[in-house]
């Protein structure tokens, strides 16, 4: 069967439990039509780049599925009709990647406080790229500036 990845955005006024309930509901719709939900991730309440239906935030959820196209079409149809779902995106993939999605990996890095390869930014010392500044003189006397 084909492999798919889905991202759903639900309204901001839902609770986290209600948003996760939507994920379970649409997973059962997919299973009832002969599909299989491989993995789900609840990404949480996030601020969007622009308003959708007068909402600035939304509950994001991610699915990895293994399902026939008819099951995916039925699930998407029901998602689009549901009043709590604002957006749905489905992508057909050749293979599911192992481990958490990129969004969850980013959250894990943020939780650990890992700052990557920034190195020590403590004492910078002399910055040789600025050159010699010489004597600048009195800055109070700058002359007539129009």
């Amino acid at each position: 069967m084909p492999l798919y990845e889905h991202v759903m955005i639900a309204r901001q006024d839902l609770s986290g439990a209600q948003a996760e309930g939507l994920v379970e509901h649409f997973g059962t719709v997919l299973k009832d039509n002969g599909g299989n939900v491989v993995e789900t991730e609840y990404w949480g309440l996030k601020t969007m780049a622009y308003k959708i239906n007068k909402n600035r935030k939304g509950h994001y959820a991610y699915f990895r599925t293994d399902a026939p196209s008819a099951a995916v079409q039925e699930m998407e149809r029901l998602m689009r009709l549901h009043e709590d779902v604002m957006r749905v995106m489905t992508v057909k993939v050749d293979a599911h990647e192992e481990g958490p999605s990129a969004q969850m990996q980013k959250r894990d890095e943020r939780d650990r406080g890992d700052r990557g390869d920034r190195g020590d930014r403590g004492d910078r010392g002399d910055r040789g790229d600025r050159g010699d500044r010489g004597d600048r003189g009195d800055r109070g006397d700058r002359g007539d500036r129009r």
Side-chain angles (χ1 to χ4, degrees):
M1 280 192 273
L3 303 175
Y4 295 95
E5 293 181 354
H6 314 272
V7 176
M8 173 185 76
I9 307 174
R11 291 183 313 141
Q12 67 184 359
D13 55 346
L14 297 176
S15 68
Q18 288 173 320
E20 290 180 15
L22 280 176
V23 171
E24 292 174 15
H25 170 70
F26 291 119
T28 57
V29 167
L30 197 68
K31 289 176 186 174
D32 292 344
N33 290 301
N36 182 28
V37 176
V38 177
E39 183 183 357
T40 62
E41 292 178 358
Y42 174 65
W43 290 347
L45 185 65
K46 297 191 166 293
T47 304
M48 296 184 283
Y50 55 89
K51 286 184 180 181
I52 299 174
N53 300 338
K54 299 181 181 178
N55 291 292
R56 287 209 175 273
K57 295 183 177 189
H59 290 275
Y60 282 71
Y62 173 73
F63 303 77
R64 288 182 181 151
T65 62
D66 180 11
S69 63
V72 172
Q73 288 174 351
E74 178 64 14
M75 183 185 72
E76 281 188 333
R77 184 184 75 81
L78 292 174
M79 282 181 167
R80 293 186 198 287
L81 290 173
H82 202 284
E83 64 183 17
D84 292 333
V85 177
M86 295 189 299
R87 288 286 191 274
V88 179
M89 182 179 71
T90 299
V91 178
K92 187 175 180 179
V93 294
D94 294 329
H96 288 145
E97 293 182 13
E98 293 296 321
S101 64
Q103 189 69 30
M104 294 302 282
Q105 289 172 0
K106 191 164 73 171
R107 178 182 287 175
D108 290 343
E109 288 175 9
R110 192 171 52 233
D111 289 344
R112 286 186 287 139
D114 184 19
R115 296 295 176 194
D117 60 349
R118 289 185 182 179
D120 183 25
R121 291 189 174 192
D123 182 26
R124 291 185 177 188
D126 181 30
R127 299 226 4 219
D129 59 335
R130 291 186 177 176
D132 185 27
R133 293 183 173 212
D135 184 23
R136 292 186 172 196
D138 185 18
R139 289 181 169 223
D141 182 29
R142 294 192 179 214
D144 186 22
R145 299 180 90 185
R146 291 186 214 189

